[in-house]
Amino acid sequence: MKLTVLVDNNTIIDRYFYAEPGVSYFIECDDEKYLFDTGYSDLFLRNATKMGINLLALDGIVISHGHNDHTGGLGELVKLYSEAASEGYGGKKPTIIAHPDAFLERNVDGLDIAPMLSNNQLKRTFSLQLSKEPIWLTPKIVFLGEIERNHSFEIGDPIGKVLRGGTWEDDYVLDDSALAYISDNGLVIITGCSHAGICNIIEYAKKVCNEERIYDVVGGFHLLNPSQRRLGNTVEYFKKCQPHAIHTCHCTDLRSKIGLAKAATVEEVGVGLVLEYK
């Protein structure tokens, strides 16, 4: 499996790409190609072009959760595929894989943070596969669906409101999900923001994949000014977990990275980074 960072808050030094607060990864696995999140704008497309990556050859588009810093580029992707089709060089019709709540309306203090496109709008261009249950994309990579939340220290306050069934409710981002890849050396976990809790995600991935070894964790850990209890328990969890390395980025602050470095090897992440796993 090969993962290329198309969008992150940072870029790798001396790599002349664009960065923004968001996430987008290009993933190649078992001769299939997936886009994991689309960042906030069109930067994922611009960076992909600079890297020589053809996003018209995608087999699927995985959405980690329904916040605009992970879904904002979907409109640009619709334009890319629609224009290609109209010019007669369109290729595959990729499938969007996400939790059923990913495209609900959301706001924080009156600010709209939901995806700009609805299910019905996306269906005009892509197929949709929405599931709370795990979905195996290939024999070695799985979309985890709705994450079981068993670590009490990772249960935080709601992030604004979500419109579900005509009623605005506190939003605990139940749609937050991740990917797990079964490498020769253990699981590689790929996250967006980890609103479900990074420890919860890892534990659920171990359960779904029937694999206890953790090799790497790539993505946001949702550790932005965390409480001492949450950060301390997360560090202790990683001491027991003993991954080969972690590539924590996006929504993980410096204090949290320093804390995690006491438990694991914290590697640098930025646009242009390429990771490969057997």
Side-chain angles (χ1 to χ4, degrees):
M1 188 264 285
K2 180 178 177 181
L3 181 152
T4 303
V5 178
L6 298 182
V7 173
D8 182 48
N9 298 37
N10 304 298
T11 63
I12 294 295
I13 189 68
D14 292 334
R15 302 295 300 278
Y16 298 102
F17 301 120
Y18 308 102
E20 67 182 4
V23 161
S24 182
Y25 305 139
F26 178 64
I27 297 169
E28 300 165 271
C29 181
D30 297 337
D31 296 321
E32 295 194 9
K33 299 176 175 63
Y34 293 91
L35 185 68
F36 181 84
D37 287 346
T38 64
Y40 182 72
S41 68
D42 67 340
L43 286 195
F44 76 104
L45 283 176
R46 294 163 66 185
N47 286 328
T49 299
K50 287 168 71 73
M51 296 177 197
I53 294 172
N54 177 20
L55 293 183
L56 284 170
L58 294 174
D59 293 281
I61 302 146
V62 178
I63 299 299
S64 67
H65 65 294
H67 285 167
N68 55 10
D69 52 339
H70 298 260
T71 63
L74 279 172
E76 298 299 324
L77 204 61
V78 166
K79 286 171 58 178
L80 177 72
Y81 273 80
S82 297
E83 290 171 5
S86 69
E87 294 297 328
Y89 60 88
K92 300 177 181 178
K93 181 178 181 180
T95 299
I96 292 179
I97 299 107
H99 185 284
D101 288 358
F103 299 101
L104 296 180
E105 292 185 45
R106 299 181 138 96
N107 73 69
V108 174
D109 298 326
L111 179 66
D112 185 358
I113 63 167
M116 297 180 67
L117 298 178
S118 68
N119 288 3
N120 289 334
Q121 289 172 311
L122 290 168
K123 284 179 183 177
R124 298 170 189 166
T125 306
F126 307 115
S127 301
L128 261 66
Q129 188 173 5
L130 306 179
S131 176
K132 292 184 180 182
E133 301 301 318
I135 299 171
W136 287 90
L137 308 183
T138 77
K140 298 185 72 173
I141 193 164
V142 60
F143 169 74
L144 294 174
E146 188 166 319
I147 306 295
E148 293 179 356
R149 303 185 180 195
N150 297 320
H151 286 92
S152 61
F153 64 85
E154 293 191 305
I155 298 174
D157 297 326
I159 300 176
K161 299 285 186 179
V162 60
L163 184 62
R164 183 180 286 107
T167 302
W168 286 100
E169 304 174 358
D170 286 341
D171 190 3
Y172 289 93
V173 200
L174 297 180
D175 52 307
D176 182 78
S177 193
L179 293 177
Y181 170 73
I182 305 174
S183 80
D184 292 348
N185 299 304
L187 296 180
V188 177
I189 314 295
I190 303 165
T191 73
C193 265
S194 299
H195 291 286
I198 188 60
C199 305
N200 285 328
I201 291 171
I202 294 172
E203 284 302 301
Y204 191 58
K206 288 161 65 175
K207 176 181 176 179
V208 170
C209 298
N210 193 29
E211 170 64 81
E212 288 295 315
R213 298 173 302 157
I214 303 300
Y215 187 71
D216 200 352
V217 188
V218 184
F221 282 22
H222 195 55
L223 293 173
L224 289 171
N225 193 28
S227 68
Q228 189 57 49
R229 175 174 178 266
R230 179 165 187 165
L231 180 57
N233 277 286
T234 302
V235 170
E236 288 303 311
Y237 177 87
F238 273 90
K239 285 181 180 178
K240 296 175 183 177
C241 188
Q242 295 189 321
H244 171 74
I246 56 176
H247 289 81
T248 180
C249 57
H250 179 49
C251 54
T252 313
D253 62 24
L254 179 60
R255 180 170 70 92
S256 299
K257 290 180 181 179
I258 291 171
L260 288 165
K262 299 173 184 176
T265 300
V266 177
E267 300 286 2
E268 187 175 8
V269 182
V271 179
L273 177 69
V274 177
L275 300 170
E276 296 192 55
Y277 307 93
K278 295 182 180 179

